[in-house]
Coordinates of all heavy atoms in Angstrom, one line a residue:
M1 N -6.5 8.5 -11.6 CA -5.1 8.3 -11.4 C -4.8 7.3 -10.3 O -4.0 6.4 -10.4 CB -4.4 9.6 -11.1 CG -2.9 9.6 -11.1 SD -2.3 9.2 -12.8 CE -0.6 9.1 -12.5
N2 N -5.6 7.4 -9.2 CA -5.5 6.5 -8.1 C -5.8 5.1 -8.5 O -5.1 4.1 -8.2 CB -6.4 6.9 -7.0 CG -6.0 6.3 -5.7 OD1 -4.9 5.7 -5.6 ND2 -6.9 6.4 -4.7
R3 N -6.9 4.9 -9.3 CA -7.3 3.6 -9.8 C -6.2 3.0 -10.8 O -5.9 1.8 -10.8 CB -8.6 3.6 -10.5 CG -9.7 3.9 -9.6 CD -10.0 2.7 -8.7 NE -11.1 3.0 -7.8 CZ -11.4 2.3 -6.8 NH1 -10.8 1.1 -6.6 NH2 -12.3 2.6 -5.9
L4 N -5.6 3.9 -11.6 CA -4.6 3.4 -12.5 C -3.4 2.9 -11.7 O -2.8 1.8 -12.1 CB -4.2 4.6 -13.4 CG -3.0 4.3 -14.4 CD1 -3.5 3.2 -15.4 CD2 -2.6 5.6 -15.1
F5 N -3.0 3.6 -10.7 CA -1.8 3.2 -9.9 C -2.2 1.9 -9.2 O -1.4 1.0 -9.2 CB -1.5 4.2 -8.8 CG -0.5 3.8 -7.8 CD1 0.8 3.6 -8.1 CD2 -1.0 3.4 -6.5 CE1 1.7 3.1 -7.2 CE2 -0.1 2.9 -5.6 CZ 1.3 2.8 -5.9
L6 N -3.4 1.7 -8.7 CA -3.8 0.5 -8.1 C -3.8 -0.7 -9.0 O -3.3 -1.8 -8.7 CB -5.2 0.7 -7.5 CG -5.8 -0.4 -6.6 CD1 -4.9 -0.6 -5.4 CD2 -7.2 -0.1 -6.2
C7 N -4.3 -0.5 -10.3 CA -4.2 -1.5 -11.3 C -2.8 -2.0 -11.6 O -2.5 -3.1 -11.7 CB -5.0 -1.1 -12.5 SG -6.7 -1.0 -12.3
L8 N -1.9 -1.0 -11.8 CA -0.5 -1.3 -12.1 C 0.1 -2.0 -10.9 O 0.9 -3.0 -11.1 CB 0.2 0.0 -12.4 CG -0.1 0.6 -13.7 CD1 0.6 1.9 -13.9 CD2 0.2 -0.3 -14.9
F9 N -0.2 -1.6 -9.7 CA 0.4 -2.2 -8.5 C -0.1 -3.7 -8.4 O 0.7 -4.6 -8.1 CB 0.0 -1.4 -7.2 CG 0.6 -2.0 -6.0 CD1 1.9 -1.8 -5.7 CD2 -0.2 -2.7 -5.1 CE1 2.5 -2.3 -4.5 CE2 0.4 -3.2 -3.9 CZ 1.7 -3.0 -3.7
V10 N -1.4 -3.9 -8.6 CA -1.9 -5.3 -8.6 C -1.2 -6.2 -9.6 O -0.9 -7.3 -9.4 CB -3.4 -5.3 -8.7 CG1 -4.0 -6.7 -8.9 CG2 -4.1 -4.6 -7.5
L11 N -1.1 -5.6 -10.8 CA -0.4 -6.4 -11.9 C 1.0 -6.7 -11.5 O 1.5 -7.9 -11.7 CB -0.4 -5.7 -13.2 CG -1.8 -5.6 -13.9 CD1 -1.7 -4.7 -15.1 CD2 -2.3 -7.0 -14.3
M12 N 1.8 -5.8 -10.9 CA 3.1 -6.0 -10.5 C 3.1 -7.1 -9.4 O 4.0 -7.9 -9.3 CB 3.8 -4.8 -10.1 CG 4.2 -3.9 -11.2 SD 4.9 -2.3 -10.8 CE 5.4 -2.3 -9.2
L13 N 2.2 -7.0 -8.5 CA 2.1 -7.9 -7.4 C 1.8 -9.3 -7.9 O 2.5 -10.3 -7.4 CB 1.0 -7.5 -6.4 CG 0.9 -8.2 -5.0 CD1 2.2 -8.0 -4.2 CD2 -0.3 -7.8 -4.3
I14 N 0.9 -9.5 -8.8 CA 0.6 -10.8 -9.4 C 1.8 -11.4 -10.1 O 2.2 -12.5 -9.9 CB -0.6 -10.7 -10.3 CG1 -1.9 -10.4 -9.5 CG2 -0.8 -12.0 -11.1 CD1 -3.1 -10.1 -10.3
S15 N 2.5 -10.5 -10.9 CA 3.7 -11.0 -11.6 C 4.8 -11.4 -10.7 O 5.5 -12.4 -10.9 CB 4.1 -10.0 -12.7 OG 4.7 -8.9 -12.0
S16 N 5.0 -10.7 -9.6 CA 6.0 -11.0 -8.6 C 5.6 -12.3 -7.9 O 6.5 -13.1 -7.6 CB 6.1 -9.8 -7.6 OG 6.9 -10.2 -6.6
F17 N 4.3 -12.5 -7.6 CA 3.9 -13.7 -6.9 C 4.1 -14.9 -7.8 O 4.6 -16.0 -7.4 CB 2.4 -13.6 -6.5 CG 2.0 -14.8 -5.8 CD1 2.4 -15.1 -4.5 CD2 1.1 -15.7 -6.4 CE1 1.9 -16.2 -3.8 CE2 0.7 -16.8 -5.7 CZ 1.1 -17.1 -4.4
L18 N 3.8 -14.8 -9.1 CA 4.0 -15.9 -10.1 C 5.5 -16.2 -10.2 O 5.9 -17.4 -10.2 CB 3.5 -15.6 -11.4 CG 1.9 -15.5 -11.5 CD1 1.5 -15.1 -12.9 CD2 1.3 -16.9 -11.1
H19 N 6.4 -15.2 -10.2 CA 7.8 -15.4 -10.2 C 8.3 -16.2 -9.0 O 9.1 -17.1 -9.0 CB 8.5 -14.1 -10.4 CG 10.0 -14.2 -10.4 ND1 10.7 -14.7 -11.5 CD2 10.9 -13.9 -9.5 CE1 12.0 -14.7 -11.2 NE2 12.2 -14.2 -10.0
F20 N 7.7 -15.8 -7.8 CA 8.0 -16.4 -6.6 C 7.6 -17.9 -6.6 O 8.3 -18.8 -6.1 CB 7.4 -15.7 -5.4 CG 7.4 -16.5 -4.1 CD1 8.5 -16.7 -3.4 CD2 6.2 -17.0 -3.6 CE1 8.5 -17.4 -2.2 CE2 6.2 -17.7 -2.4 CZ 7.4 -17.9 -1.8
V21 N 6.4 -18.2 -7.1 CA 5.9 -19.6 -7.2 C 6.8 -20.4 -8.0 O 7.1 -21.6 -7.6 CB 4.5 -19.6 -7.7 CG1 4.0 -21.0 -8.0 CG2 3.5 -19.0 -6.7
W22 N 7.4 -19.9 -9.1 CA 8.3 -20.7 -9.9 C 9.6 -20.9 -9.3 O 10.3 -21.9 -9.5 CB 8.5 -20.0 -11.3 CG 7.3 -20.1 -12.2 CD1 6.4 -21.2 -12.3 CD2 6.8 -19.1 -13.0 NE1 5.4 -20.9 -13.1 CE2 5.6 -19.6 -13.6 CE3 7.2 -17.8 -13.4 CZ2 4.9 -18.9 -14.6 CZ3 6.4 -17.1 -14.3 CH2 5.3 -17.7 -14.9
K23 N 10.1 -19.9 -8.5 CA 11.4 -20.0 -7.9 C 11.5 -20.5 -6.4 O 12.5 -20.6 -5.8 CB 12.1 -18.6 -7.9 CG 12.2 -18.1 -9.3 CD 13.3 -18.8 -10.1 CE 13.5 -18.1 -11.4 NZ 14.5 -18.7 -12.2
R24 N 10.3 -20.8 -5.8 CA 10.3 -21.1 -4.4 C 11.0 -22.4 -4.0 O 11.4 -22.6 -2.9 CB 8.9 -21.1 -3.9 CG 8.1 -22.3 -4.4 CD 6.7 -22.3 -3.9 NE 6.0 -23.4 -4.6 CZ 4.8 -23.7 -4.4 NH1 4.1 -23.1 -3.5 NH2 4.2 -24.7 -5.0
N25 N 11.2 -23.3 -4.9 CA 11.8 -24.6 -4.6 C 13.3 -24.4 -4.3 O 13.9 -25.2 -3.6 CB 11.7 -25.6 -5.8 CG 10.2 -26.0 -5.9 OD1 9.5 -26.0 -5.0 ND2 9.9 -26.4 -7.2
Q26 N 13.9 -23.3 -4.7 CA 15.3 -23.0 -4.5 C 15.5 -22.2 -3.2 O 16.6 -21.9 -2.8 CB 15.9 -22.2 -5.6 CG 15.7 -22.9 -7.0 CD 16.0 -22.0 -8.1 OE1 16.3 -20.8 -7.9 NE2 15.9 -22.5 -9.4
M27 N 14.4 -21.9 -2.5 CA 14.5 -21.1 -1.2 C 14.4 -22.0 0.0 O 13.8 -23.1 0.0 CB 13.4 -20.1 -1.2 CG 13.5 -19.1 -2.3 SD 12.1 -17.9 -2.2 CE 12.3 -17.0 -3.7
E28 N 14.9 -21.5 1.1 CA 14.7 -22.1 2.4 C 13.2 -22.0 2.8 O 12.5 -21.0 2.4 CB 15.6 -21.5 3.5 CG 17.0 -21.6 3.2 CD 17.8 -20.9 4.3 OE1 17.2 -20.5 5.4 OE2 19.0 -20.7 4.1
R29 N 12.8 -22.8 3.7 CA 11.4 -22.8 4.2 C 11.1 -21.5 4.9 O 10.0 -20.9 4.8 CB 11.1 -24.0 5.1 CG 9.7 -24.1 5.5 CD 8.8 -24.5 4.4 NE 7.4 -24.5 4.9 CZ 6.4 -24.2 4.2 NH1 6.5 -23.8 2.9 NH2 5.2 -24.2 4.7
K30 N 12.0 -21.0 5.8 CA 11.8 -19.8 6.5 C 11.6 -18.6 5.6 O 10.8 -17.7 5.8 CB 12.9 -19.5 7.5 CG 13.0 -20.4 8.7 CD 14.1 -20.0 9.6 CE 14.1 -20.9 10.8 NZ 15.2 -20.5 11.8
Q31 N 12.4 -18.6 4.5 CA 12.3 -17.5 3.6 C 11.0 -17.5 2.8 O 10.4 -16.5 2.6 CB 13.5 -17.6 2.6 CG 13.6 -16.4 1.6 CD 14.8 -16.5 0.7 OE1 15.5 -17.5 0.7 NE2 15.0 -15.5 -0.1
Q32 N 10.5 -18.7 2.5 CA 9.2 -18.8 1.9 C 8.1 -18.3 2.8 O 7.2 -17.6 2.3 CB 9.0 -20.3 1.5 CG 9.8 -20.8 0.4 CD 9.5 -22.3 0.1 OE1 8.4 -22.8 0.5 NE2 10.3 -22.9 -0.7
I33 N 8.2 -18.6 4.1 CA 7.1 -18.2 5.0 C 7.1 -16.7 5.1 O 6.0 -16.1 5.1 CB 7.4 -18.9 6.4 CG1 7.1 -20.4 6.3 CG2 6.5 -18.2 7.4 CD1 7.5 -21.1 7.5
V34 N 8.3 -16.1 5.1 CA 8.4 -14.6 5.2 C 7.8 -14.0 3.9 O 7.0 -13.0 4.0 CB 9.8 -14.1 5.4 CG1 9.9 -12.6 5.2 CG2 10.3 -14.5 6.8
I35 N 8.1 -14.5 2.8 CA 7.6 -14.0 1.5 C 6.1 -14.2 1.4 O 5.3 -13.3 1.0 CB 8.3 -14.6 0.3 CG1 9.8 -14.1 0.4 CG2 7.7 -14.2 -1.0 CD1 10.7 -14.7 -0.7
Y36 N 5.6 -15.4 1.8 CA 4.1 -15.6 1.8 C 3.4 -14.6 2.7 O 2.4 -14.0 2.4 CB 3.8 -17.0 2.3 CG 3.9 -18.1 1.3 CD1 4.6 -19.2 1.5 CD2 3.2 -17.9 0.1 CE1 4.6 -20.2 0.5 CE2 3.2 -18.9 -0.9 CZ 4.0 -20.1 -0.7 OH 4.0 -21.1 -1.6
T37 N 4.0 -14.3 3.9 CA 3.4 -13.3 4.8 C 3.4 -12.0 4.2 O 2.4 -11.2 4.3 CB 4.3 -13.3 6.1 OG1 4.4 -14.6 6.7 CG2 3.7 -12.4 7.1
M38 N 4.4 -11.6 3.5 CA 4.4 -10.2 2.9 C 3.3 -10.2 1.8 O 2.7 -9.1 1.6 CB 5.8 -9.9 2.3 CG 6.9 -9.8 3.3 SD 6.5 -8.6 4.5 CE 6.6 -7.1 3.6
Y39 N 3.2 -11.2 1.0 CA 2.1 -11.2 0.0 C 0.7 -11.2 0.6 O -0.2 -10.5 0.1 CB 2.2 -12.5 -0.9 CG 3.3 -12.3 -2.0 CD1 4.3 -13.2 -2.1 CD2 3.2 -11.3 -2.9 CE1 5.3 -13.1 -3.0 CE2 4.2 -11.2 -3.9 CZ 5.2 -12.1 -3.9 OH 6.2 -11.9 -4.9
V40 N 0.5 -11.9 1.7 CA -0.8 -11.8 2.4 C -1.1 -10.4 3.0 O -2.2 -9.9 2.8 CB -0.9 -12.9 3.5 CG1 -2.1 -12.7 4.4 CG2 -0.9 -14.3 2.9
L41 N 0.0 -9.8 3.6 CA -0.2 -8.5 4.1 C -0.5 -7.5 3.0 O -1.3 -6.5 3.1 CB 1.0 -8.0 4.9 CG 1.2 -8.7 6.2 CD1 2.5 -8.3 6.9 CD2 0.0 -8.5 7.2
S42 N 0.1 -7.6 1.8 CA -0.1 -6.8 0.7 C -1.5 -6.9 0.2 O -2.2 -6.0 -0.2 CB 0.9 -7.1 -0.5 OG 2.2 -6.8 -0.1
A43 N -2.0 -8.2 0.1 CA -3.4 -8.4 -0.3 C -4.4 -7.8 0.6 O -5.4 -7.2 0.2 CB -3.6 -9.9 -0.5
I44 N -4.1 -8.0 1.9 CA -5.0 -7.4 2.9 C -5.0 -5.8 2.8 O -6.1 -5.2 2.9 CB -4.6 -7.8 4.3 CG1 -4.9 -9.3 4.5 CG2 -5.3 -7.0 5.4 CD1 -4.4 -9.9 5.8
G45 N -3.9 -5.3 2.6 CA -3.8 -3.8 2.4 C -4.5 -3.3 1.2 O -5.2 -2.3 1.2
L46 N -4.4 -4.1 0.1 CA -5.1 -3.7 -1.1 C -6.7 -3.8 -0.9 O -7.4 -3.0 -1.4 CB -4.7 -4.6 -2.3 CG -3.4 -4.3 -2.9 CD1 -3.0 -5.4 -3.9 CD2 -3.4 -3.0 -3.6
Y47 N -7.1 -4.8 -0.2 CA -8.5 -5.0 0.1 C -9.0 -3.8 1.0 O -10.1 -3.3 0.8 CB -8.7 -6.3 0.8 CG -10.1 -6.6 1.1 CD1 -11.1 -6.9 0.1 CD2 -10.6 -6.5 2.5 CE1 -12.4 -7.2 0.5 CE2 -11.9 -6.8 2.8 CZ -12.8 -7.1 1.8 OH -14.1 -7.4 2.1
A48 N -8.1 -3.4 1.9 CA -8.5 -2.4 2.9 C -8.7 -1.0 2.2 O -9.5 -0.2 2.6 CB -7.5 -2.3 4.1
I49 N -7.8 -0.7 1.2 CA -7.9 0.6 0.6 C -9.0 0.8 -0.3 O -9.2 1.9 -0.9 CB -6.6 1.0 0.0 CG1 -6.3 0.1 -1.2 CG2 -5.4 1.1 0.9 CD1 -5.1 0.5 -2.0
Q50 N -9.8 -0.3 -0.5 CA -11.0 -0.2 -1.4 C -12.1 0.5 -0.7 O -13.1 0.9 -1.3 CB -11.4 -1.6 -1.8 CG -10.4 -2.3 -2.7 CD -10.1 -1.5 -4.0 OE1 -11.0 -1.0 -4.6 NE2 -8.8 -1.3 -4.3
Y51 N -12.1 0.7 0.6 CA -13.2 1.3 1.4 C -12.9 2.8 1.6 O -11.7 3.2 1.6 CB -13.4 0.6 2.7 CG -13.8 -0.8 2.5 CD1 -13.0 -1.9 2.7 CD2 -15.1 -1.1 2.1 CE1 -13.4 -3.2 2.5 CE2 -15.6 -2.4 1.9 CZ -14.7 -3.4 2.1 OH -15.1 -4.7 1.8
Q52 N -13.9 3.5 1.9 CA -13.8 4.9 2.2 C -13.4 5.1 3.7 O -14.3 4.9 4.5 CB -15.1 5.7 1.9 CG -15.5 5.7 0.5 CD -14.6 6.6 -0.3 OE1 -14.0 7.6 0.2 NE2 -14.4 6.3 -1.6
H53 N -12.2 5.3 3.9 CA -11.8 5.5 5.3 C -12.2 6.8 5.9 O -12.1 7.1 7.1 CB -10.2 5.3 5.4 CG -9.8 4.0 5.1 ND1 -10.0 2.9 6.0 CD2 -9.1 3.4 4.1 CE1 -9.6 1.8 5.5 NE2 -9.0 2.1 4.3
D54 N -12.7 7.7 5.1 CA -13.2 9.0 5.5 C -14.4 8.8 6.4 O -14.6 9.6 7.3 CB -13.5 9.9 4.3 CG -13.2 11.3 4.5 OD1 -12.3 11.6 5.3 OD2 -13.8 12.2 3.9
N55 N -15.1 7.7 6.2 CA -16.3 7.5 7.0 C -15.9 6.9 8.4 O -16.5 7.1 9.4 CB -17.2 6.5 6.4 CG -17.8 7.0 5.1 OD1 -17.9 8.2 4.9 ND2 -18.2 6.2 4.2
L56 N -14.8 6.1 8.4 CA -14.3 5.6 9.7 C -13.6 6.6 10.5 O -13.8 6.6 11.7 CB -13.3 4.4 9.4 CG -13.9 3.2 8.6 CD1 -12.8 2.2 8.3 CD2 -15.0 2.5 9.4
M57 N -12.8 7.4 9.9 CA -12.1 8.5 10.7 C -12.2 9.8 9.9 O -11.5 9.9 8.9 CB -10.6 8.1 10.9 CG -9.9 9.0 11.8 SD -8.2 8.5 12.1 CE -7.4 9.2 10.7
P58 N -13.1 10.6 10.2 CA -13.2 11.9 9.4 C -12.0 12.7 9.5 O -11.5 13.1 10.6 CB -14.4 12.6 10.1 CG -14.6 11.9 11.4 CD -14.0 10.6 11.3
T59 N -11.5 13.1 8.4 CA -10.2 13.8 8.3 C -10.5 15.3 7.9 O -9.6 16.1 7.9 CB -9.2 13.2 7.3 OG1 -9.9 13.1 6.0 CG2 -8.8 11.8 7.8
G60 N -11.7 15.6 7.5 CA -12.0 17.0 7.1 C -11.7 18.0 8.1 O -11.2 19.1 7.8
F61 N -12.0 17.7 9.4 CA -11.7 18.6 10.5 C -10.2 18.9 10.6 O -9.8 20.1 10.7 CB -12.2 18.0 11.8 CG -11.9 18.7 13.0 CD1 -12.5 19.9 13.3 CD2 -10.8 18.3 13.9 CE1 -12.2 20.6 14.5 CE2 -10.5 19.0 15.0 CZ -11.2 20.2 15.3
F62 N -9.4 17.9 10.5 CA -8.0 18.1 10.6 C -7.4 18.9 9.4 O -6.6 19.7 9.5 CB -7.2 16.8 10.7 CG -7.6 16.0 11.9 CD1 -8.3 14.8 11.8 CD2 -7.3 16.5 13.2 CE1 -8.6 14.1 13.0 CE2 -7.6 15.8 14.3 CZ -8.3 14.6 14.2
L63 N -8.0 18.6 8.2 CA -7.5 19.3 7.0 C -7.9 20.8 7.0 O -7.1 21.6 6.6 CB -8.1 18.6 5.7 CG -7.6 17.2 5.4 CD1 -8.3 16.7 4.2 CD2 -6.1 17.3 5.2
N64 N -9.1 21.1 7.6 CA -9.5 22.5 7.7 C -8.5 23.3 8.6 O -8.3 24.5 8.5 CB -10.9 22.6 8.2 CG -11.9 22.2 7.1 OD1 -11.6 22.2 5.9 ND2 -13.1 21.8 7.6
I65 N -8.0 22.6 9.6 CA -7.1 23.3 10.6 C -5.7 23.3 10.0 O -5.0 24.4 10.1 CB -7.1 22.5 11.9 CG1 -8.5 22.7 12.6 CG2 -6.0 23.0 12.8 CD1 -8.6 21.9 13.9
L66 N -5.2 22.2 9.5 CA -3.8 22.1 9.1 C -3.5 22.8 7.7 O -2.4 23.3 7.6 CB -3.4 20.7 9.0 CG -3.4 19.9 10.3 CD1 -3.0 18.5 10.1 CD2 -2.4 20.6 11.3
T67 N -4.4 22.8 6.8 CA -4.1 23.3 5.5 C -3.7 24.8 5.5 O -2.7 25.2 4.9 CB -5.3 23.1 4.5 OG1 -5.6 21.7 4.5 CG2 -5.0 23.6 3.1
P68 N -4.4 25.7 6.2 CA -3.9 27.1 6.2 C -2.6 27.3 6.9 O -1.7 28.1 6.5 CB -5.0 27.9 7.0 CG -6.2 27.0 6.9 CD -5.7 25.6 6.8
R69 N -2.3 26.5 8.0 CA -1.1 26.6 8.7 C 0.1 26.1 7.8 O 1.2 26.7 7.8 CB -1.1 25.8 10.0 CG -2.1 26.4 10.9 CD -2.1 25.8 12.3 NE -3.1 26.4 13.1 CZ -3.3 26.0 14.3 NH1 -2.6 25.0 14.9 NH2 -4.2 26.6 15.1
V70 N -0.1 25.0 7.1 CA 0.9 24.5 6.2 C 1.2 25.5 5.1 O 2.3 25.8 4.7 CB 0.5 23.1 5.6 CG1 1.4 22.7 4.5 CG2 0.5 22.1 6.7
K71 N 0.1 26.2 4.5 CA 0.3 27.2 3.5 C 1.1 28.4 4.1 O 2.1 28.9 3.4 CB -1.0 27.7 3.0 CG -0.9 28.6 1.8 CD -2.3 29.0 1.3 CE -2.2 30.0 0.2 NZ -1.3 31.0 0.2
M72 N 0.8 28.8 5.3 CA 1.6 29.9 5.9 C 3.0 29.5 6.1 O 4.0 30.3 5.9 CB 1.0 30.3 7.2 CG -0.4 31.0 7.0 SD -1.2 31.6 8.6 CE -0.4 30.8 9.9
W73 N 3.3 28.3 6.5 CA 4.6 27.8 6.8 C 5.4 27.7 5.5 O 6.6 28.2 5.5 CB 4.5 26.4 7.4 CG 5.8 25.8 7.7 CD1 6.7 26.2 8.7 CD2 6.4 24.6 7.1 NE1 7.8 25.3 8.7 CE2 7.7 24.4 7.7 CE3 6.0 23.8 6.1 CZ2 8.5 23.3 7.3 CZ3 6.8 22.7 5.7 CH2 8.0 22.5 6.3
I74 N 4.8 27.3 4.4 CA 5.5 27.3 3.1 C 5.8 28.7 2.6 O 6.9 29.0 2.1 CB 4.7 26.5 2.1 CG1 4.7 25.0 2.4 CG2 5.2 26.6 0.6 CD1 3.8 24.1 1.6
D75 N 4.8 29.6 2.8 CA 5.1 31.0 2.4 C 6.2 31.6 3.2 O 7.0 32.4 2.6 CB 3.8 31.8 2.6 CG 2.7 31.5 1.6 OD1 3.1 30.9 0.5 OD2 1.5 31.8 1.9
Q76 N 6.3 31.3 4.5 CA 7.5 31.8 5.3 C 8.8 31.2 4.8 O 9.8 31.9 4.8 CB 7.3 31.4 6.7 CG 6.2 32.2 7.4 CD 6.0 31.8 8.8 OE1 6.6 30.8 9.3 NE2 5.1 32.5 9.5
I77 N 8.8 30.0 4.4 CA 10.1 29.4 3.9 C 10.5 30.0 2.6 O 11.6 30.3 2.3 CB 9.9 27.9 3.7 CG1 9.8 27.2 5.1 CG2 11.1 27.3 2.9 CD1 9.5 25.7 5.0
L78 N 9.5 30.2 1.7 CA 9.8 30.8 0.4 C 10.0 32.3 0.5 O 10.7 33.0 -0.2 CB 8.7 30.5 -0.6 CG 8.5 29.0 -0.9 CD1 7.3 28.9 -1.9 CD2 9.7 28.4 -1.5

């Protein structure tokens, strides 16, 4: 499911970028720079999520502590 979402997101990003390339002549230069920056940041983000961040920052310890407390909190609310 995660890969499916990623593929759909990449396709939407590519189609949005192509639309921007066709319409960029009608925009101001500052607006073009901001949009280019957003596309670059999106591409860097997509590249970064391809790696296992669990190795960089282990989250298992936090999940073992937080999961029972969250479950108790939800049980108290219900």
Side-chain angles (χ1 to χ4, degrees):
M1 188 67 180
N2 197 13
R3 292 286 177 190
L4 177 64
F5 171 75
L6 187 61
C7 289
L8 290 174
F9 183 74
V10 168
L11 287 175
M12 287 178 12
L13 189 66
I14 290 171
S15 69
S16 175
F17 182 73
L18 290 175
H19 180 72
F20 166 70
V21 169
W22 288 324
K23 301 287 183 178
R24 71 180 171 177
N25 293 332
Q26 302 167 359
M27 297 179 187
E28 296 178 15
R29 184 68 182 147
K30 286 183 179 180
Q31 187 178 5
Q32 288 180 16
I33 291 171
V34 169
I35 293 174
Y36 277 129
T37 305
M38 295 304 291
Y39 281 121
V40 168
L41 290 175
S42 296
I44 290 171
L46 286 172
Y47 182 73
I49 64 173
Q50 295 301 313
Y51 294 105
Q52 294 291 331
H53 292 290
D54 219 24
N55 296 336
L56 299 174
M57 187 176 87
T59 57
F61 173 75
F62 298 113
L63 291 176
N64 289 338
I65 292 173
L66 293 177
T67 302
R69 292 185 183 179
V70 170
K71 186 179 181 314
M72 289 182 344
W73 180 69
I74 291 174
D75 288 340
Q76 287 177 354
I77 290 175
L78 298 178

